[in-house]
Amino acid sequence: MLLALAILILALVAINSLVDLGSQQGAHARAATRGTRLAQAKMAEVEAGVVSLTSSTDGEFDGDDVGWRYSVTPESSG
């Protein structure tokens, strides 16, 4: 009985650490996806002419995306 209980406890500890690792990786994937989405949206604004390309532009996103920053630096293409 004690051996079975020890095996059960070890299995629960292992499963708990795997769940924690999975949660951390999920949060990382969500942040990477959100950053990519924000970068694509800002690039669309640059292409549409909403953001000026005369000099470097830095800023922060607003609304739900507060805390995310961007920087746009124009470079010649040739």
Side-chain angles (χ1 to χ4, degrees):
M1 180 76 173
L2 288 175
L3 180 61
L5 185 59
I7 291 172
L8 176 64
I9 290 173
L10 288 174
L12 288 176
V13 168
I15 290 172
N16 186 36
S17 64
L18 288 174
V19 168
D20 287 343
L21 180 63
S23 296
Q24 291 171 357
Q25 292 298 323
H28 179 71
R30 279 190 299 279
T33 301
R34 188 173 189 185
T36 301
R37 180 186 54 83
L38 290 171
Q40 288 173 339
K42 187 55 65 177
M43 192 62 204
E45 290 179 13
V46 169
E47 290 174 348
V50 176
V51 175
S52 173
L53 286 179
T54 56
S55 63
S56 293
T57 304
D58 296 336
E60 290 188 10
F61 292 96
D62 1 341
D64 292 339
D65 302 318
V66 170
W68 287 86
R69 299 186 49 77
Y70 66 88
S71 176
V72 178
T73 305
E75 295 180 2
S76 64
S77 61

